[in-house]
Amino acid sequence: MEAAGARSRDVLGRAASLPGGCAEKIPPERKVYMDYNATTPLEPEVMEAMTEAMRDAWGNPSSPYPAEVTFVPVSKVSGQVEADDVLAAVRPATCLVSIMLANNETGVVMPVPEISRRIRALNQQRAARGLPGVLMHTDAAQALGKRHVDVRDLGVDFLTIVGHKFYGPRIGALYVRGLGELTPLYPMLFGGGQERNFRPGTENTPMIAGLGKAAELVAENCEAYEAHMRDVRDYLEERLAAEFGKRIRLNSRFPGTERLPNTCNFSIQGPQLQGRSVLAQCRTLLASVGAACHSDHGDRPSPVLLSCGVPFEVARNAIRLSVGRGTTRAEVDLVVRDLKQAVARLEGQA
């Protein structure tokens, strides 16, 4: 079940720290949002930047081209795409390789730096044969704000980010390495001369200002954000294991594979415990079974989990919880209790 309208701020169900190490009790009727991979609220500083831009900076500052695409599977052992498989899929006419930096359902971080290095080496061979070079793109929407992201380390030609995934507005940005000199970029829409002739249409100044502020906050605080989210996520998985024991399957854990610090994909095993059914019974938790933008797939298991080797009967019970900058351990306790009660109701034990 996709979150039915998240509250505007992280204070949604936050427990306030009190002197003496005690935590303020959260009323049971409060909602706890754990779908931060779907979207995040705006930080106050971001709202301030956007408001200022709307007040002071109010001045005027997809064509259906065919392409053949080869889809590369992920490893059932690591949950990652393998560099060898990517290189094997490159054909003489291939012009672009696109790999997401981190998966939005499992949180698995892909080996983008290694793939970039392999593509660069391949390009030298292709140049000797008179073939065009292959460009490298990564979608960093889920990674930015949760882990260190540096285009120099990644070695990519293109990188995309999305503001509302890291507490900014619903606007994106594209990084292009050496625009016009090292990396070609051509417009797909034509008309005005905005954005250096790459896309027509008047720039949305408030949104741009908000995205800039959100990115600035990430640059300054990413290490602290990451540490907090990892602590809360790990506590969440500990509590799930303590409450449900062997019935819990942690679908996003692959030995030796790095994953995002905030993402927990799990299944509570049982014939009546499909992910959507469990979430429908929850009275506190707001979350989704997987990618929020693909929530219209009904009761079909996530193809991402199936491709990672998660059995069908386990994948259909999957729930994705993604914690945020303000999620607390007290909220985790509320959520686990809520899940336990939801399971009991579904199994007729309440």
Side-chain angles (χ1 to χ4, degrees), residues 17 26 55 69 175 204 207 215 222 227 258 278 290 326:
S17 297
I26 304 176
R55 183 183 63 241
V69 178
Y175 161 82
N204 191 332
M207 289 289 191
C222 188
E258 182 188 358
V278 173

Side-chain angles (χ1 to χ4, degrees), residues 256-290:
T257 299
E258 182 188 358
R259 58 177 172 148
L260 294 178
N262 78 318
T263 305
C264 171
N265 192 306
F266 68 95
S267 298
I268 306 172
Q269 300 185 64
Q272 299 168 296
L273 303 181
Q274 287 79 16
R276 292 180 184 276
S277 299
V278 173
L279 290 176
Q281 288 290 328
C282 287
R283 297 173 180 174
T284 298
L285 174 63
L286 302 173
S288 59
V289 297

Side-chain angles (χ1 to χ4, degrees), residues 79-300:
Q80 296 176 311
V81 64
E82 301 284 353
D84 286 343
D85 292 338
V86 173
L87 271 292
V90 174
R91 297 169 294 182
T94 299
C95 60
L96 179 70
V97 169
S98 181
I99 307 290
M100 66 192 326
L101 184 52
N103 186 268
N104 52 324
E105 293 190 42
T106 63
V108 168
V109 177
M110 301 297 168
V112 171
E114 178 189 358
I115 296 172
S116 294
R117 287 193 297 270
R118 298 280 297 275
I119 291 294
R120 286 197 298 273
L122 177 65
N123 281 340
Q124 293 180 354
Q125 302 173 20
R126 288 170 66 93
R129 294 159 50 196
L131 295 175
V134 177
L135 296 170
M136 181 71 189
H137 165 263
T138 190
D139 178 354
Q142 287 295 340
L144 193 68
K146 301 166 189 170
R147 69 186 301 274
H148 179 71
V149 176
D150 190 321
V151 292
R152 294 168 296 187
D153 297 338
L154 296 172
V156 295
D157 301 296
F158 304 105
L159 178 143
T160 51
I161 63 172
V162 181
H164 74 102
K165 301 294 187 180
F166 57 97
Y167 293 72
R170 294 180 188 272
I171 186 174
L174 172 67
Y175 161 82
V176 183
R177 182 177 66 93
L179 179 60
E181 299 176 1
L182 302 175
T183 306
L185 184 67
Y186 305 102
M188 297 181 64
L189 301 173
F190 302 90
Q194 294 86 354
E195 299 193 33
R196 288 187 275 180
N197 290 315
F198 285 113
R199 188 175 64 177
T202 303
E203 291 88 344
N204 191 332
T205 306
M207 289 289 191
I208 294 171
L211 183 69
K213 176 55 70 172
E216 181 181 316
L217 291 171
V218 166
E220 294 173 352
N221 304 295
C222 188
E223 191 172 314
Y225 294 157
E226 182 177 355
H228 171 77
M229 288 186 283
R230 177 174 285 108
D231 175 75
V232 176
R233 191 273 314 277
D234 290 348
Y235 180 67
L236 168 64
E237 293 184 344
E238 292 170 7
R239 293 286 292 111
L240 288 171
E243 285 294 340
F244 296 102
K246 295 182 178 180
R247 301 185 70 185
I248 277 287
R249 158 78 184 248
L250 295 174
N251 303 318
S252 51
R253 279 188 179 178
F254 295 89
T257 299
E258 182 188 358
R259 58 177 172 148
L260 294 178
N262 78 318
T263 305
C264 171
N265 192 306
F266 68 95
S267 298
I268 306 172
Q269 300 185 64
Q272 299 168 296
L273 303 181
Q274 287 79 16
R276 292 180 184 276
S277 299
V278 173
L279 290 176
Q281 288 290 328
C282 287
R283 297 173 180 174
T284 298
L285 174 63
L286 302 173
S288 59
V289 297
C293 50
H294 297 150
S295 60
D296 58 348
H297 284 185
D299 293 328
R300 288 174 291 169

